[in-house]
Amino acid sequence: MTDTALPPVPDIIRSAYATLVVTDLAEARRFWVDLLGFVVTFEDSSAIYLRGYDELAHHNLILRAGREAAAGPLGFRVRSAADLGRAQAYFGALGCRYERLPAGAVRGLGEVIRVEDPLGFLIDFFDRSDHPERLQQRYDLRRGAEIARFDHFNICVPDVPRAYDYYSGLGFGLSETIEDGQTLYAAWMYRKQTVHDMAFTGGAGPRLHHLGFFAHEAHAVLRICDIIGSLHIEEHIERGPGRHGVSNAFYVYLRDPDGHRLEIYTSDYYTGDPDHPVLRWSVQDPRRRDFWGNAVIPSWYTEASAVLSLDGKLQPVTEIEQQAESAVRVGADGYTAPAGLVE
Amino acid sequence: MTDTALPPVPDIIRSAYATLVVTDLAEARRFWVDLLGFVVTFEDSSAIYLRGYDELAHHNLILRAGREAAAGPLGFRVRSAADLGRAQAYFGALGCRYERLPAGAVRGLGEVIRVEDPLGFLIDFFDRSDHPERLQQRYDLRRGAEIARFDHFNICVPDVPRAYDYYSGLGFGLSETIEDGQTLYAAWMYRKQTVHDMAFTGGAGPRLHHLGFFAHEAHAVLRICDIIGSLHIEEHIERGPGRHGVSNAFYVYLRDPDGHRLEIYTSDYYTGDPDHPVLRWSVQDPRRRDFWGNAVIPSWYTEASAVLSLDGKLQPVTEIEQQAESAVRVGADGYTAPAGLVE
Amino acid sequence: MTDTALPPVPDIIRSAYATLVVTDLAEARRFWVDLLGFVVTFEDSSAIYLRGYDELAHHNLILRAGREAAAGPLGFRVRSAADLGRAQAYFGALGCRYERLPAGAVRGLGEVIRVEDPLGFLIDFFDRSDHPERLQQRYDLRRGAEIARFDHFNICVPDVPRAYDYYSGLGFGLSETIEDGQTLYAAWMYRKQTVHDMAFTGGAGPRLHHLGFFAHEAHAVLRICDIIGSLHIEEHIERGPGRHGVSNAFYVYLRDPDGHRLEIYTSDYYTGDPDHPVLRWSVQDPRRRDFWGNAVIPSWYTEASAVLSLDGKLQPVTEIEQQAESAVRVGADGYTAPAGLVE
Amino acid sequence: MTDTALPPVPDIIRSAYATLVVTDLAEARRFWVDLLGFVVTFEDSSAIYLRGYDELAHHNLILRAGREAAAGPLGFRVRSAADLGRAQAYFGALGCRYERLPAGAVRGLGEVIRVEDPLGFLIDFFDRSDHPERLQQRYDLRRGAEIARFDHFNICVPDVPRAYDYYSGLGFGLSETIEDGQTLYAAWMYRKQTVHDMAFTGGAGPRLHHLGFFAHEAHAVLRICDIIGSLHIEEHIERGPGRHGVSNAFYVYLRDPDGHRLEIYTSDYYTGDPDHPVLRWSVQDPRRRDFWGNAVIPSWYTEASAVLSLDGKLQPVTEIEQQAESAVRVGADGYTAPAGLVE
């Protein structure tokens, strides 16, 4: 994949949106719009286009009604129309299947190159977006988790080093890892100047582990948890809130009515310097996944969303091909529960 | 205990301080002072007197060096000297052992009536305290968890209804309970105008479950967890942070180097109206202990501090005499872990 | 007023509610309900009964439609029915006009003793209230400033020492003052265990300076300011946000559509100990009114709400009879603007 | 300046550091280190090198002892060594004086191109920096304002359109402006993906208006104000805290012992998309400088730091050559004080 004979890669600006197939659009709307407070840019009977309050592009998330829950295309914004051509040439040279969708085929966007990438994920590349109304300073409208913008994708892959190599080839920088002498268990990679646009969790794949959305302050995370408790739907909270070791972000993981996982993510740090140093976490440090040492919920390691192929079918899943992070013994049980101070 | 022939009870103002016997005073100082940021009112080679930044009495906590970790006297402030006499007469009539300590015997305080109460706990009643320097507005000194003041005791008792009756007799109001048709599993009772000065956790007792200290805002709780993670001593975080169902407070439970448990506790509500209504939680509501449905750590139900008798020995412990809250099935496993949205 | 021949005073529990006459009830509703997020307990075409999310009594505020903006009765809760009798006897002995209103005359309350007090204010004493639905943990409903409960009254009086003497006689404790060797400029007094239920601002009176409402954390104050900015009605923000020197609370002062002033007030401290020490601020300390030294807005010293007499007319106003705090030179200009670091 | 015959501009990554000449280094250290909590990378008897907790380069601020307070070189990081050459050629072609400093001449950095730019400011371009110890997750060390990193420069220039043209030529994007039909009063421009690396305030210049430092949450801003109040040095707080209309950041402006102004700045938003839309504020909108309508302190418009020339002398200052923003009538007095709701 690092073959120098490959055509040049597109200049990717950032992770921009995801598509989730949901089995009950009305129920999904109650979760994403009524509860979490996402802004609706557009909706009809088959799909809802959502964004955060700071977002100045058309959408950060497309909810599309379907028979089976799945993750559809993940969208990357590229710098210019020329980068669409570069994407087409690059993935063509890699032997990947792709489509060129005309402007408007994905609502609100210009032309899209839709690729089934070497890892098995559907990826949309686009360079132009409509600008909806600017709502950053409409505090009167803010509700729920007060989502600002899309932050990152996190995907399950059976072979983390392979995913790392592929995204390195696409020009992504590496901010943090979980590893030991033998194994790369997880990696965080970026194009925009944050910790990540894309992260890899070792596991059966291709599957979507979660979508990360940015909120400005920690109290927004506490507030959405409180709202969820008020409504007695606390089963939507899967893990957290807590502080990540990796990324230093304050987080909570939620599950939507179809089981799709999202993260509300605050804090983060600047990674824009060309020599930005990598932070490497030992897989044996119980703080890597939760800086306070709280145990990772088992489902968080094992469950994830199936993804669609270019022809709209569920991609077959390959079991993990490396040592699983959740099987590494950290303290007593492999889930970061330390032996403890008290007998 | 509700015998009308008993003498009048003392007018208790509030829970005010606790005494902890610690096996290594220097190590305890590192935890309570250097890490948590408690203010030292006085210290010598055998004991340290600590308070929060808002506290205007001499101390909220006495750490006393000893061979075996234990909880010593728990201090209640009473209204006046006459109430010391009332305490003496009342506990005498109950057949409890007690001592009358002269002013200064407990440093910083006036006379103290020290009682071994019917539940087996050592209780100090005092009416006068020295006033140390007011530090409420010394933000330049605040560190750690930015503790404001003592908030409450939580004790393990084998028979919660008996503890409830005893404290009702002492004039405590009831704010919240965990119960079902048959059983009172836990209760929160107050003298000052907050949710509680004293709470009961069903379990082997008499033991001290935890000491609750008040902080003003939730970010102080997050900050002390972050500091603990920074120092890689995350085993001191036992449970949380989270939002309580009962009390609505935002909390974290920590364990000191001897295993004594404390809670950093924010939010709370006013209970001063004479007809303040009781909030009764079903033992089957997974939100009662954590409003977000996060599981209670098993050690939180089973571990607690031994307490001292009036002659300085460890009180023998009686096993729980009622249905244990931790044995009630809530969802799948009795620890509030709901069946969950996702298979 | 300290005449020992007076009958015993009623046992006042706390400041509980205020009545505001507003000239446009629909507009007032937009401000207090739609914008600030107060909870409506009851409303009809002539009045709206509002409370905070933590409040367990019927109301904290009555908005009543009228031709002229004014402050109507200020409500104190007393301990028991016997205290209503004590109020009647006490104010009768003082020669004050009063009425005894039957249960329900003030909606949601039991009997009310309505007094025109020696300072010229209408005061309601009540001992019983309906309990509306408990909304403390309905985070899904919280909006605006997320008001928890009523906190305090602040009144303009021409003679602060006289007001202090009168409220001392009623059994109020003193928490803080602004003074110099000659003059008591302002005082904060309490019955519940907070900094105040009642405070005095020297100025033409009787007038209502402001109503204080409690919110749990500082970010709620920032949020309501942000919402107000979003709606481009920033003229409703009169002063702050800031940190008070007196009380240590984080605050903002708003003006409603009729010019009635309210304070959103967070933090505060416990004052329940019988020997709670008084904090005395020098009138020359620029931090007393704003701990960060920001200047007080002139209107904050001069403007206030007229108050009603027992027969529903506006009380005549007496000019200030003592040195005005705003006329004291602090630094250069009398409004806390320090000489400054920079020439 | 937009002459196409000019050589290509250097690829600027971000604003990275500033140099302040201070008249008493020990006193400056007390302010910047002891009070604000900046991290010391290096210090000797003539200078102190400071950074925020997230910063992974050598410094964000150099304090240098000198006889007269002034702003020295402002540092921009460029992508690579080739960009140093581009800077040299570009400014040479513009007829600007410059020096090429060897690696280490500015401690911790590689080679530096130091330019006296067309606006009269000293600018350092560098491409390499030492990496000091990573302290992002050393919450145990955080103090004061918990500064994360450098955010932006704000400079006073007599001719804002000229400054805008010059920085446009250097490849800066425009995020926000204050303007009316005739006049550009102020502009915010960026290279990194935030609202700005550089902003222009119309006024006598060249002078440094302020340095902006990023903190993660609003409570860090409140805390440093509280600490300053505690120490009774509130004259260091010049303006705020408040919410900016422009940038939407929560801010406070402080003055150091020499009168140099800094801003603690939180929130901000992402500007990395190539078509990021400009937000244009009317100079008549009272919310542009403070979203809550609070008045701008007059000194904030008029005072600023003198800047050094390449030979170390104070640059002569040219009076403002355009309509002054502070002279525009907004409401009654030109400082955003609206006519007000209340007569």
Side-chain angles (χ1 to χ4, degrees):
Chain A
M1 239 168 295
T2 56
D3 187 342
T4 54
L6 279 175
V9 297
D11 184 356
I12 295 172
I13 300 291
R14 60 156 169 149
S15 56
Y17 70 85
T19 314
L20 294 177
V21 180
V22 297
T23 58
D24 183 330
L25 193 60
E27 201 182 341
R29 193 186 195 287
R30 280 192 291 276
F31 180 81
W32 292 92
V33 179
D34 298 346
L35 178 66
L36 299 188
F38 275 80
V39 176
V40 177
T41 304
F42 177 85
E43 61 185 322
D44 60 21
S45 62
S46 66
I48 309 177
Y49 296 76
L50 300 174
R51 67 187 200 277
Y53 292 93
D54 284 11
E55 182 57 64
L56 298 171
H58 187 264
H59 54 260
N60 293 137
L61 179 63
I62 306 173
L63 300 174
R64 184 171 298 288
R67 264 191 327 115
E68 280 183 306
L74 309 180
F76 284 116
R77 183 163 196 152
V78 297
R79 184 163 300 278
S80 67
D83 292 299
L84 297 180
R86 286 185 196 103
Q88 188 168 339
Y90 181 76
F91 288 99
L94 285 176
C96 293
R97 299 197 295 169
Y98 65 86
E99 297 174 343
R100 184 152 195 152
L101 306 175
V106 178
R107 182 176 291 272
L109 306 186
E111 274 192 302
V112 167
I113 305 296
R114 176 165 295 171
V115 176
E116 201 177 287
D117 82 3
L119 304 177
F121 292 86
L122 272 189
I123 306 290
D124 282 357
F125 296 94
F126 72 100
D127 72 315
R128 280 174 297 125
S129 169
D130 292 351
H131 291 305
E133 185 186 355
R134 189 188 283 250
L135 299 177
Q136 281 171 332
Q137 292 180 313
R138 293 295 304 275
Y139 289 95
D140 56 315
L141 301 180
R142 289 196 189 186
R143 290 175 307 102
E146 303 193 21
I147 299 298
R149 57 169 175 76
F150 191 80
D151 190 82
H152 63 264
F153 306 115
N154 186 305
I155 59 176
C156 291
V157 294
D159 181 340
V160 171
R162 181 168 174 249
Y164 166 74
D165 285 344
Y166 165 63
Y167 272 97
S168 290
L170 272 173
F172 281 62
L174 179 66
S175 56
E176 306 201 24
T177 67
I178 294 174
E179 59 185 65
D180 58 20
Q182 288 74 50
T183 306
L184 179 67
Y185 294 92
W188 284 259
M189 303 188 76
Y190 60 89
R191 287 294 299 173
K192 71 180 181 310
Q193 295 169 345
T194 63
V195 169
H196 58 320
D197 288 286
M198 174 60 77
F200 317 119
T201 300
R207 293 182 302 162
L208 176 69
H209 190 273
H210 70 261
L211 303 175
F213 295 96
F214 188 77
H216 283 287
E217 299 216 346
H219 58 78
V221 172
L222 303 186
R223 185 187 175 85
I224 189 62
C225 293
D226 287 335
I227 292 173
I228 287 173
S230 294
L231 298 170
H232 207 336
I233 54 170
E234 63 275 10
E235 64 276 12
H236 286 284
I237 301 174
E238 183 188 34
R239 180 184 159 207
R243 170 82 59 195
H244 282 310
V246 173
S247 83
N248 196 36
F250 186 72
Y251 71 89
V252 69
Y253 291 97
L254 308 178
R255 302 292 289 267
D256 91 348
D258 281 292
H260 297 304
R261 183 184 290 112
L262 75 144
E263 180 183 21
I264 318 287
Y265 179 93
T266 70
S267 194
D268 210 72
Y269 59 84
Y270 168 81
T271 59
D273 284 0
D275 64 345
H276 180 78
V278 178
L279 178 57
R280 298 179 186 279
W281 289 81
S282 163
V283 71
Q284 273 143 350
D285 190 332
R287 301 174 304 167
R288 71 199 190 287
R289 292 288 186 185
D290 184 277
F291 196 57
W292 308 332
N294 283 327
V296 175
I297 303 303
S299 65
W300 191 89
Y301 273 124
T302 56
E303 300 177 0
S305 297
V307 302
L308 296 182
S309 69
L310 196 60
D311 35 38
K313 298 186 180 145
L314 295 188
Q315 284 280 34
V317 167
T318 303
E319 288 308 305
I320 188 167
E321 293 163 358
Q322 62 181 94
Q323 162 84 330
E325 181 184 343
S326 61
V328 175
R329 289 183 63 83
V330 178
D333 66 359
Y335 286 118
T336 76
L341 187 72
V342 183
E343 307 312 317
Chain B
M1 239 169 293
T2 56
D3 188 340
T4 55
L6 279 175
V9 298
D11 183 356
I12 295 173
I13 300 292
R14 60 155 170 149
S15 56
Y17 70 85
T19 314
L20 294 177
V21 180
V22 298
T23 58
D24 183 331
L25 193 60
E27 201 182 341
R29 193 187 197 285
R30 280 192 291 276
F31 180 80
W32 292 92
V33 179
D34 298 347
L35 179 65
L36 299 188
F38 275 80
V39 177
V40 177
T41 303
F42 177 85
E43 62 185 322
D44 61 21
S45 61
S46 66
I48 310 176
Y49 296 76
L50 301 173
R51 66 187 200 276
Y53 293 92
D54 286 11
E55 182 57 63
L56 298 172
H58 186 264
H59 54 260
N60 293 138
L61 179 63
I62 306 172
L63 301 174
R64 185 172 298 287
R67 265 191 327 117
E68 279 183 307
L74 309 181
F76 283 116
R77 182 165 197 152
V78 296
R79 185 163 300 279
S80 67
D83 292 297
L84 297 181
R86 285 184 198 105
Q88 189 168 338
Y90 181 76
F91 288 99
L94 285 176
C96 295
R97 299 197 296 168
Y98 65 86
E99 297 174 342
R100 184 153 194 151
L101 306 176
V106 177
R107 183 177 290 272
L109 306 186
E111 274 193 301
V112 167
I113 306 296
R114 177 165 294 170
V115 176
E116 201 177 286
D117 80 4
L119 305 177
F121 292 86
L122 272 189
I123 304 291
D124 281 357
F125 296 94
F126 73 101
D127 72 315
R128 280 174 297 124
S129 169
D130 292 350
H131 290 305
E133 186 188 355
R134 189 188 284 252
L135 298 177
Q136 281 171 333
Q137 292 182 312
R138 291 297 304 276
Y139 290 95
D140 55 317
L141 301 181
R142 289 195 189 187
R143 290 175 306 103
E146 304 193 19
I147 299 299
R149 57 170 174 76
F150 191 79
D151 191 80
H152 63 263
F153 306 114
N154 187 305
I155 59 176
C156 291
V157 293
D159 180 340
V160 171
R162 180 167 173 250
Y164 166 74
D165 285 343
Y166 165 63
Y167 273 97
S168 291
L170 272 174
F172 281 63
L174 179 66
S175 56
E176 306 201 23
T177 67
I178 295 175
E179 58 185 65
D180 59 21
Q182 288 73 50
T183 306
L184 179 66
Y185 294 93
W188 285 256
M189 302 188 78
Y190 60 89
R191 287 293 301 173
K192 71 180 180 310
Q193 296 169 345
T194 63
V195 170
H196 58 321
D197 287 285
M198 174 60 77
F200 317 119
T201 300
R207 293 183 303 161
L208 175 69
H209 190 272
H210 70 261
L211 304 174
F213 296 96
F214 188 77
H216 283 285
E217 299 217 345
H219 57 79
V221 172
L222 303 185
R223 184 188 176 85
I224 189 62
C225 293
D226 287 335
I227 292 173
I228 287 173
S230 294
L231 297 170
H232 208 338
I233 53 171
E234 62 275 10
E235 63 277 11
H236 286 285
I237 302 174
E238 182 187 34
R239 180 183 159 208
R243 169 82 60 196
H244 283 310
V246 172
S247 83
N248 197 35
F250 186 72
Y251 70 89
V252 69
Y253 291 97
L254 307 179
R255 302 292 289 268
D256 91 347
D258 281 293
H260 297 304
R261 183 184 289 111
L262 75 144
E263 179 183 22
I264 318 286
Y265 178 93
T266 70
S267 194
D268 209 72
Y269 60 83
Y270 168 82
T271 59
D273 285 0
D275 64 345
H276 181 78
V278 178
L279 178 56
R280 297 178 186 279
W281 289 82
S282 163
V283 71
Q284 272 143 351
D285 190 330
R287 302 173 303 168
R288 72 200 189 286
R289 291 287 185 185
D290 185 275
F291 196 57
W292 308 332
N294 282 328
V296 175
I297 303 303
S299 64
W300 190 91
Y301 273 124
T302 57
E303 299 177 1
S305 297
V307 301
L308 296 182
S309 67
L310 196 60
D311 34 38
K313 299 187 179 142
L314 295 189
Q315 284 279 32
V317 166
T318 303
E319 287 308 304
I320 187 166
E321 293 163 358
Q322 62 180 93
Q323 162 85 329
E325 182 184 343
S326 62
V328 176
R329 290 182 63 84
V330 178
D333 65 1
Y335 287 119
T336 76
L341 187 72
V342 184
E343 307 313 317
Chain C
M1 239 166 295
T2 57
D3 187 343
T4 54
L6 280 174
V9 298
D11 183 355
I12 295 173
I13 300 292
R14 60 155 168 149
S15 57
Y17 70 85
T19 314
L20 295 177
V21 179
V22 298
T23 57
D24 182 330
L25 194 60
E27 200 183 341
R29 192 186 198 286
R30 279 191 292 276
F31 180 81
W32 292 92
V33 179
D34 298 348
L35 179 65
L36 299 188
F38 274 79
V39 176
V40 177
T41 304
F42 178 84
E43 61 185 322
D44 60 21
S45 61
S46 66
I48 310 176
Y49 296 75
L50 301 174
R51 67 186 200 277
Y53 293 93
D54 285 12
E55 182 57 64
L56 298 171
H58 186 266
H59 54 260
N60 293 139
L61 179 63
I62 305 172
L63 301 174
R64 184 171 299 287
R67 262 192 330 117
E68 279 184 305
L74 309 180
F76 283 116
R77 182 164 197 153
V78 296
R79 185 163 301 279
S80 68
D83 292 298
L84 297 180
R86 286 186 196 103
Q88 189 168 338
Y90 181 76
F91 289 99
L94 285 176
C96 295
R97 299 197 295 168
Y98 66 85
E99 296 174 342
R100 185 152 194 152
L101 306 175
V106 177
R107 183 176 290 272
L109 305 186
E111 274 193 303
V112 167
I113 306 296
R114 177 165 294 170
V115 175
E116 201 178 285
D117 79 5
L119 305 177
F121 292 87
L122 272 189
I123 305 290
D124 282 358
F125 296 94
F126 72 101
D127 73 314
R128 280 174 298 124
S129 169
D130 292 350
H131 291 304
E133 186 186 356
R134 189 188 283 251
L135 299 177
Q136 280 171 332
Q137 292 182 311
R138 291 296 304 277
Y139 290 95
D140 55 316
L141 301 180
R142 289 195 191 186
R143 290 175 306 103
E146 303 194 22
I147 300 298
R149 56 170 175 76
F150 190 80
D151 191 81
H152 63 264
F153 307 114
N154 186 305
I155 58 176
C156 291
V157 294
D159 180 340
V160 172
R162 179 168 175 249
Y164 166 74
D165 285 343
Y166 165 63
Y167 272 97
S168 290
L170 273 174
F172 281 63
L174 178 66
S175 56
E176 306 201 21
T177 66
I178 295 175
E179 57 184 66
D180 58 21
Q182 288 74 50
T183 306
L184 179 65
Y185 294 92
W188 284 258
M189 302 189 79
Y190 60 89
R191 286 294 300 172
K192 72 181 180 312
Q193 297 170 345
T194 63
V195 170
H196 57 322
D197 288 285
M198 173 61 77
F200 317 119
T201 300
R207 293 182 302 162
L208 175 68
H209 189 273
H210 69 262
L211 304 174
F213 296 96
F214 188 77
H216 284 287
E217 300 216 344
H219 57 79
V221 172
L222 304 185
R223 185 187 175 86
I224 189 63
C225 293
D226 287 335
I227 292 173
I228 287 172
S230 294
L231 297 170
H232 207 338
I233 52 172
E234 62 275 10
E235 64 276 12
H236 286 285
I237 301 175
E238 183 188 34
R239 179 182 160 209
R243 169 81 60 196
H244 283 311
V246 172
S247 84
N248 197 34
F250 186 72
Y251 71 89
V252 69
Y253 291 96
L254 307 178
R255 302 292 289 268
D256 91 347
D258 281 291
H260 297 305
R261 185 184 288 112
L262 75 144
E263 179 183 22
I264 319 285
Y265 179 93
T266 71
S267 194
D268 209 72
Y269 60 83
Y270 168 80
T271 58
D273 284 0
D275 63 345
H276 181 78
V278 178
L279 179 56
R280 298 180 186 277
W281 290 82
S282 162
V283 71
Q284 272 143 350
D285 189 331
R287 301 172 306 167
R288 71 200 189 287
R289 291 287 184 187
D290 185 277
F291 196 58
W292 308 333
N294 282 326
V296 175
I297 303 301
S299 64
W300 190 90
Y301 273 124
T302 57
E303 299 177 0
S305 297
V307 301
L308 296 183
S309 68
L310 197 61
D311 35 38
K313 299 188 179 142
L314 295 189
Q315 285 279 33
V317 166
T318 303
E319 287 309 304
I320 187 166
E321 293 161 358
Q322 62 180 95
Q323 162 87 327
E325 182 184 343
S326 62
V328 176
R329 290 183 65 82
V330 178
D333 65 358
Y335 287 119
T336 79
L341 187 70
V342 184
E343 307 313 318
Chain D
M1 240 168 293
T2 57
D3 186 344
T4 54
L6 280 175
V9 298
D11 184 356
I12 295 172
I13 300 292
R14 60 155 168 149
S15 57
Y17 70 85
T19 314
L20 295 178
V21 180
V22 298
T23 57
D24 183 330
L25 193 59
E27 201 182 342
R29 194 186 195 286
R30 279 192 291 275
F31 180 81
W32 293 91
V33 179
D34 298 347
L35 178 66
L36 299 188
F38 275 79
V39 177
V40 177
T41 305
F42 178 85
E43 60 185 321
D44 60 21
S45 62
S46 66
I48 310 176
Y49 296 75
L50 301 173
R51 67 187 200 276
Y53 293 92
D54 285 11
E55 183 57 64
L56 299 170
H58 187 265
H59 54 260
N60 292 137
L61 178 63
I62 306 172
L63 301 175
R64 184 171 299 286
R67 262 190 332 117
E68 280 184 306
L74 309 180
F76 284 115
R77 183 163 195 153
V78 297
R79 185 164 300 279
S80 67
D83 292 299
L84 297 180
R86 285 185 197 104
Q88 189 168 338
Y90 181 76
F91 289 99
L94 285 177
C96 294
R97 298 196 296 166
Y98 65 85
E99 296 173 342
R100 184 151 195 154
L101 306 175
V106 177
R107 182 176 291 272
L109 306 186
E111 274 193 303
V112 166
I113 305 296
R114 176 165 295 170
V115 176
E116 201 179 284
D117 82 4
L119 304 177
F121 292 85
L122 273 190
I123 305 290
D124 282 358
F125 296 94
F126 72 101
D127 72 315
R128 280 173 298 125
S129 170
D130 292 349
H131 290 305
E133 185 187 354
R134 190 188 283 251
L135 298 177
Q136 281 170 333
Q137 292 181 313
R138 291 296 304 275
Y139 290 95
D140 55 316
L141 301 180
R142 289 197 190 185
R143 291 176 307 103
E146 303 194 20
I147 300 298
R149 56 170 175 76
F150 191 80
D151 191 81
H152 63 264
F153 306 116
N154 186 305
I155 58 176
C156 290
V157 294
D159 180 340
V160 171
R162 180 167 174 250
Y164 167 74
D165 285 344
Y166 165 63
Y167 272 96
S168 290
L170 272 174
F172 281 63
L174 178 66
S175 56
E176 306 201 22
T177 67
I178 294 175
E179 58 184 65
D180 59 20
Q182 287 75 48
T183 306
L184 179 66
Y185 294 92
W188 284 257
M189 303 189 77
Y190 60 90
R191 287 294 300 172
K192 70 180 181 311
Q193 295 169 346
T194 64
V195 170
H196 58 321
D197 288 286
M198 174 60 77
F200 317 119
T201 300
R207 293 183 301 161
L208 176 68
H209 190 272
H210 70 262
L211 303 175
F213 296 95
F214 188 78
H216 283 287
E217 299 217 345
H219 57 79
V221 173
L222 304 185
R223 185 188 175 84
I224 190 62
C225 294
D226 287 335
I227 292 173
I228 287 173
S230 294
L231 297 170
H232 207 337
I233 52 170
E234 63 276 10
E235 64 275 12
H236 286 285
I237 302 175
E238 183 187 34
R239 179 183 160 209
R243 170 81 60 194
H244 283 311
V246 172
S247 84
N248 197 35
F250 186 72
Y251 71 89
V252 69
Y253 291 96
L254 306 178
R255 303 291 289 267
D256 90 349
D258 282 292
H260 297 305
R261 184 183 289 112
L262 75 145
E263 180 183 21
I264 318 285
Y265 178 94
T266 70
S267 194
D268 210 71
Y269 60 83
Y270 168 81
T271 58
D273 284 0
D275 63 345
H276 181 78
V278 178
L279 178 56
R280 299 179 185 277
W281 290 82
S282 163
V283 70
Q284 273 144 349
D285 190 330
R287 302 173 305 166
R288 71 200 190 288
R289 291 286 185 186
D290 184 277
F291 196 57
W292 308 332
N294 282 327
V296 175
I297 303 302
S299 65
W300 190 90
Y301 273 124
T302 57
E303 300 177 2
S305 297
V307 301
L308 296 183
S309 68
L310 196 60
D311 34 37
K313 298 187 180 143
L314 295 189
Q315 284 279 33
V317 167
T318 302
E319 287 308 304
I320 188 167
E321 293 163 357
Q322 63 181 92
Q323 161 85 331
E325 181 184 343
S326 61
V328 176
R329 290 183 65 83
V330 178
D333 65 359
Y335 287 118
T336 76
L341 187 71
V342 184
E343 306 313 319

